[in-house]
Amino acid sequence: VRAALLAIGDEIVSGLTVDTNSGFVAAELRALGVEPVAGFSVPDDEEAIVLALRRAAAGAELVVCTGGLGPTSDDLTTACVARLAGAPLVLHEPSLEAIRERFRARGLEMSANNRKQALLPAGSEVLPNPEGTAPGFITPVPEEGRTVHVACLPGVPREMRGMVRASLVPWVAARRGGRRFLSRTFSTFGLAESRLDELLSGAFAPGEARVAFRAAFPRMNVRLTVEGRGGDPLDPRMDALEARLRERLGRAVYAVGDVGMEEAVGGLLRDRGATLAVAESCTGGRIGDWITDVPGSSDYFVLGVAAYADRAKAELLGVRPETLERCGAVSEETAVEMAEGVRRRGGATLGLSTTGIAGPGGGTEEKPVGTVCIALAWEGGARSRRYAFGERGREWIKTITAVTALDRVRRHLLGEEEA
Amino acid sequence: VRAALLAIGDEIVSGLTVDTNSGFVAAELRALGVEPVAGFSVPDDEEAIVLALRRAAAGAELVVCTGGLGPTSDDLTTACVARLAGAPLVLHEPSLEAIRERFRARGLEMSANNRKQALLPAGSEVLPNPEGTAPGFITPVPEEGRTVHVACLPGVPREMRGMVRASLVPWVAARRGGRRFLSRTFSTFGLAESRLDELLSGAFAPGEARVAFRAAFPRMNVRLTVEGRGGDPLDPRMDALEARLRERLGRAVYAVGDVGMEEAVGGLLRDRGATLAVAESCTGGRIGDWITDVPGSSDYFVLGVAAYADRAKAELLGVRPETLERCGAVSEETAVEMAEGVRRRGGATLGLSTTGIAGPGGGTEEKPVGTVCIALAWEGGARSRRYAFGERGREWIKTITAVTALDRVRRHLLGEEEA
């Protein structure tokens, strides 16, 4: 099955908004074994939309449109699909009621033009929208003797994503001759795509699973997809594949799902009843910012200190002036004292620190830009390591430092030897 | 003039990469008065590319392609354009020399397949690529009695962007009958698009300037574009328009260009010889992270403390336990003591603090999610303010808090009364 994607809206064609919807839909469809073959972006113009729909339909069995389902007069998607299908617009009562209910729940009167959103091409299958007013729909459209299905979804990414997962994916799966698909994503850190590929080579028999890699810097996601028919249970098969994947990749896998390292570390800290304090120099607060992106992080994150100035390192963290003088601010020795100091200051189970040269200035021959020291301190011990991340830009160095530091916490909590 | 955009590459159609190139090109063209009318994304497949090129050419005078200029066999853009133009591929010696030189500069031998990148359709105008191996080019293509120009650029965003600004934009401007355009972008904060629009209404006579708004949360950019012919000097005209814009928008304009608040604040701190220390509770380190994204920020950023736990607020920042008890951690009183404490701790000119409820949990009737207090302390004074940012998600609340806090520093440094 081939699919074409249409992103509808002036804001996309003019470059005011980046179309992330098409990519999301494409990835979801690919996991189902449906091949996205073309993408179009079209302005809010009836002729342009109809023309693009025709072109899309000519080369695909499924066309997925995002956008143009709003209540105003420049939202034209529904009318265009109806025109292409040769179907009249009919009022879909349950959708109208759902829209009314949304307004009622907020103590508002539904405005008259929202009624338009419940007018759908006759013969359509409706895709409910639990997060917004515009329902989606799938309409059969005749195209040179065959039937092309045109699926329309709202352009608001949050609404669209929920509807794809709850309605479009099951619809596609059901139509694919009872074939069903199950995907599972694993977040990994520390291994390049080529290395992951190498480690997994031969892990799965041909046809047993599809393996896809997706870089989402700083993490690399690996997705397994298995296919079955009818009542064939997919979960146990996936569990067996996951076990094999974990055997090959080991601790590089840090979470099931597309998950940030800060969330995985937060979960471990919570499980262990442990707390964390962080002393950041070159990351400047990024680790604390990430950790506190996770709701409930106040349970385990007690203190962050961005000790940019040497004076702050000495006074707040108790780094000894002679250490700073002898070894420099970017040194394993200073990093250890920062980690120990912030741990003591925060009364935390673990103390974590970063100090390094993010550039572009500040590099020396001995310590070029990208030199970073990360230390972890715990009850009765501490360990520092020096990294050479290379001169790949301030932003990149801050990010790789922050995630590497959190990974150190994770591996420590998993009982990995600090070596 | 109408333009169509083609993003070429399997990774885009399949959703592995989000196409940000088309939006960038579209925005640049719009600033020149060229209207983007359609966008296409196509896989690395010769028939698909040629078909999309034909469709794009049918509705536009200019087609801009990004991607598919690499050295490998799946890079097909050049061959497809040559086929469409009915032009043979010819070796462009200066480009070959430039590619060789890139390799030479790194002490490497040019691999044989890079030679392909210097083979361009006969009759093309070459767009040099100072950042990579693939040159771009513009090829005239006959289309139903008229000539369509197809511009091809590499897909690497950094290379593409530089080439658009250095070569494509001047080429388009030159072809538009000697008309020239000058754009200037202003970063603003604190006013919604509709309010900016209102304030600017009537500021410019019709035809005097084009005004465009672009939301880049948390900032809102305003872009003015003026048009001239021949030797008509555009800079003084733009300066006069800028003066009128600033008169209308006042302090809401914080920078010329698309600039983060942290950069504007950093520049002011440096100019004033002032230093900043930050105590972050609900922002968890985000302000420090942003500030230290700016190279050289160690000159004015001395200390950040993410005092998530009350104990840290008391011990490190000297917030009095009775203040925490009487007013709560999220209060103007606590915020002031945090700002004063971190200023003292860091020995800084200014102390800034945030404390609030980012949610989703932790809200009460009196202090619902989105309640945030921000305080600023200086030599001999301090001032706190309470904000109700609303329940718009943890990420949103952290961001709006961080930028609002930095804006307080900016306005203070500009001598605005703390009221």
Side-chain angles (χ1 to χ4, degrees):
Chain A
V1 174
R2 294 162 305 165
L5 306 170
L6 243 82
I8 296 171
D10 285 343
E11 73 285 4
I12 289 162
V13 178
S14 65
L16 291 177
T17 299
V18 172
D19 169 35
T20 56
N21 289 344
S22 298
F24 176 84
V25 175
E28 290 293 319
L29 291 177
R30 281 192 338 126
L32 294 170
V34 173
E35 199 53 41
V37 291
F40 302 82
S41 50
V42 275
D44 295 312
D45 173 273
E46 186 163 340
E47 293 314 313
I49 296 171
V50 169
L51 189 65
L53 278 169
R54 289 222 169 92
R55 287 168 177 173
E61 287 73 46
L62 175 65
V63 178
V64 182
C65 305
T66 51
L69 298 186
T72 58
S73 59
D74 60 349
D75 290 301
L76 301 164
T77 304
T78 311
C80 292
V81 172
R83 191 173 135 190
L84 208 71
L89 290 173
V90 293
L91 186 70
H92 186 248
E93 283 290 353
S95 291
L96 183 63
E97 191 38 48
I99 297 168
R100 270 213 199 91
E101 182 50 37
R102 279 194 78 77
F103 281 91
R104 212 161 22 218
R106 297 165 178 214
L108 300 168
E109 195 67 30
M110 188 188 90
S111 56
N113 54 8
N114 284 102
R115 189 174 183 276
K116 180 187 141 196
Q117 297 184 294
L119 286 170
L120 307 178
S124 298
E125 193 159 332
V126 178
L127 311 175
N129 180 354
E131 306 240 31
T133 54
F137 54 89
I138 300 175
T139 309
V141 167
E143 163 71 25
E144 307 212 340
R146 58 198 181 88
T147 298
V148 174
H149 284 90
V150 178
C152 297
L153 297 160
V156 181
R158 196 173 35 86
E159 299 177 17
M160 183 278 305
R161 289 176 183 227
M163 293 165 75
V164 165
R165 292 202 165 129
S167 301
L168 182 64
V169 164
W171 184 90
V172 171
R175 310 250 336 161
R176 300 210 63 208
R179 284 200 281 169
R180 292 174 310 113
F181 295 84
L182 179 68
S183 290
R184 198 172 286 174
T185 297
F186 303 89
S187 294
T188 79
F189 175 68
L191 300 177
E193 179 174 341
S194 55
R195 180 70 185 135
L196 290 169
D197 195 20
E198 212 173 273
L199 287 171
L200 288 177
S201 111
F204 311 114
E208 196 178 23
R210 267 206 307 282
V211 184
F213 301 96
R214 180 169 183 149
F217 180 75
R219 63 182 168 273
M220 178 66 72
N221 292 337
V222 183
R223 173 142 85 166
L224 298 183
T225 303
V226 296
E227 185 180 338
R229 282 180 183 280
D232 177 15
L234 296 179
D235 274 307
R237 273 171 54 196
M238 181 61 88
D239 292 344
L241 296 173
E242 174 173 344
R244 258 186 277 159
L245 175 129
R246 286 182 179 275
E247 200 175 292
R248 299 281 186 118
L249 303 185
R251 291 269 158 78
V253 177
Y254 69 83
V256 174
D258 181 21
V259 167
M261 183 65 82
E262 63 278 9
E263 210 174 318
V265 169
L268 280 172
L269 287 166
R270 186 189 300 281
D271 288 352
R272 305 287 194 276
T275 56
L276 179 67
V278 182
E280 309 191 50
S281 184
C282 63
T283 44
R286 180 160 300 188
I287 297 175
D289 183 26
W290 283 2
I291 291 175
T292 59
D293 280 346
V294 182
S297 44
S298 52
D299 293 348
Y300 48 79
F301 180 59
V302 290
L303 173 65
V305 173
Y308 231 53
D310 278 359
R311 187 186 140 183
K313 289 188 183 75
E315 287 188 13
L316 257 87
L317 300 173
V319 176
R320 289 173 303 167
E322 54 274 29
T323 306
L324 286 167
E325 179 137 348
R326 188 169 45 88
C327 312
V330 179
S331 64
E332 295 192 52
E333 291 82 352
T334 297
V336 163
E337 294 187 19
M338 287 171 68
E340 287 174 338
V342 81
R343 176 176 177 271
R344 202 168 45 235
R345 272 287 187 187
T349 321
L350 298 174
L352 178 68
S353 74
T354 65
T355 179
I357 301 155
T364 63
E365 195 154 331
E366 197 212 338
K367 293 174 185 173
V369 169
T371 302
V372 172
C373 296
I374 298 175
L376 186 67
W378 58 91
E379 175 79 49
R383 179 81 204 176
S384 194
R385 250 185 248 168
R386 179 171 160 162
Y387 302 80
F389 289 132
E391 200 162 349
R392 296 179 62 175
R394 194 173 175 86
E395 170 60 27
W396 192 91
I397 293 170
K398 285 180 74 175
T399 298
I400 197 74
T401 300
V403 69
T404 302
L406 285 170
D407 194 38
R408 288 279 299 278
V409 175
R410 179 179 74 95
R411 289 171 181 269
H412 179 83
L413 290 169
L414 289 173
E416 206 164 274
E417 277 304 313
E418 281 284 339
Chain B
V1 175
R2 295 163 304 165
L5 306 170
L6 243 81
I8 296 171
D10 285 343
E11 73 286 2
I12 288 161
V13 177
S14 65
L16 291 177
T17 299
V18 172
D19 169 34
T20 56
N21 289 344
S22 297
F24 176 84
V25 175
E28 291 293 319
L29 292 177
R30 282 192 338 125
L32 293 171
V34 174
E35 197 55 40
V37 291
F40 302 81
S41 51
V42 275
D44 294 313
D45 173 273
E46 183 162 341
E47 293 314 313
I49 296 171
V50 169
L51 189 64
L53 279 170
R54 289 222 169 90
R55 287 168 177 173
E61 287 74 44
L62 175 66
V63 177
V64 182
C65 305
T66 51
L69 299 186
T72 58
S73 60
D74 59 348
D75 290 301
L76 300 164
T77 304
T78 310
C80 292
V81 171
R83 191 173 135 190
L84 208 71
L89 290 173
V90 293
L91 186 70
H92 187 248
E93 284 290 353
S95 291
L96 183 62
E97 192 37 48
I99 296 168
R100 266 210 202 93
E101 181 50 37
R102 278 194 79 76
F103 281 92
R104 209 157 26 216
R106 298 166 179 214
L108 299 168
E109 195 66 28
M110 189 188 89
S111 56
N113 54 7
N114 284 101
R115 188 173 184 279
K116 181 186 142 197
Q117 297 184 294
L119 287 170
L120 306 178
S124 299
E125 195 161 328
V126 178
L127 312 176
N129 180 355
E131 307 240 31
T133 53
F137 54 90
I138 300 176
T139 309
V141 167
E143 163 73 25
E144 306 211 342
R146 58 198 182 88
T147 298
V148 174
H149 284 91
V150 178
C152 297
L153 299 160
V156 181
R158 195 173 37 85
E159 299 178 17
M160 183 277 306
R161 289 177 183 226
M163 293 164 74
V164 165
R165 292 202 164 128
S167 302
L168 183 64
V169 163
W171 184 89
V172 172
R175 312 247 339 161
R176 301 210 63 209
R179 286 200 280 171
R180 292 174 310 112
F181 296 84
L182 180 67
S183 290
R184 198 172 287 175
T185 298
F186 303 90
S187 294
T188 80
F189 175 68
L191 300 177
E193 177 173 342
S194 54
R195 180 69 185 135
L196 290 169
D197 195 20
E198 211 173 275
L199 287 170
L200 289 177
S201 110
F204 311 114
E208 196 177 24
R210 267 206 308 282
V211 184
F213 302 96
R214 179 169 185 149
F217 180 74
R219 62 183 169 271
M220 177 68 70
N221 293 337
V222 183
R223 173 142 83 166
L224 298 183
T225 303
V226 297
E227 186 181 336
R229 281 178 185 282
D232 175 15
L234 296 179
D235 273 306
R237 273 171 55 195
M238 180 60 88
D239 292 344
L241 295 173
E242 173 173 342
R244 260 186 276 159
L245 175 130
R246 287 182 177 275
E247 200 176 292
R248 299 280 185 119
L249 303 184
R251 291 269 158 78
V253 178
Y254 70 81
V256 175
D258 180 22
V259 167
M261 182 67 82
E262 63 278 7
E263 209 173 318
V265 169
L268 280 172
L269 287 166
R270 187 190 299 280
D271 288 352
R272 305 287 193 278
T275 56
L276 178 67
V278 182
E280 309 191 49
S281 184
C282 63
T283 44
R286 181 160 301 189
I287 297 175
D289 183 26
W290 284 2
I291 291 176
T292 59
D293 280 345
V294 183
S297 43
S298 53
D299 293 349
Y300 46 79
F301 180 60
V302 289
L303 173 66
V305 174
Y308 231 51
D310 278 0
R311 188 186 139 182
K313 290 189 183 76
E315 287 187 14
L316 258 87
L317 301 173
V319 176
R320 289 174 303 169
E322 53 276 27
T323 306
L324 286 167
E325 180 137 349
R326 189 168 45 86
C327 310
V330 179
S331 64
E332 296 191 53
E333 291 82 353
T334 296
V336 163
E337 294 187 18
M338 287 170 69
E340 287 174 338
V342 81
R343 174 176 178 273
R344 204 168 45 237
R345 272 288 187 186
T349 321
L350 298 173
L352 178 68
S353 74
T354 65
T355 178
I357 301 156
T364 63
E365 195 154 331
E366 198 212 337
K367 294 174 185 173
V369 170
T371 303
V372 172
C373 296
I374 297 174
L376 186 68
W378 57 91
E379 174 79 51
R383 178 81 203 174
S384 193
R385 249 185 248 169
R386 180 170 159 161
Y387 301 81
F389 289 132
E391 199 163 348
R392 296 179 62 175
R394 194 172 175 87
E395 171 59 29
W396 192 89
I397 292 169
K398 285 180 75 175
T399 298
I400 197 76
T401 300
V403 68
T404 302
L406 286 170
D407 194 38
R408 288 280 298 279
V409 175
R410 179 179 73 95
R411 289 171 182 268
H412 179 85
L413 290 169
L414 290 173
E416 207 165 273
E417 277 303 311
E418 282 285 337

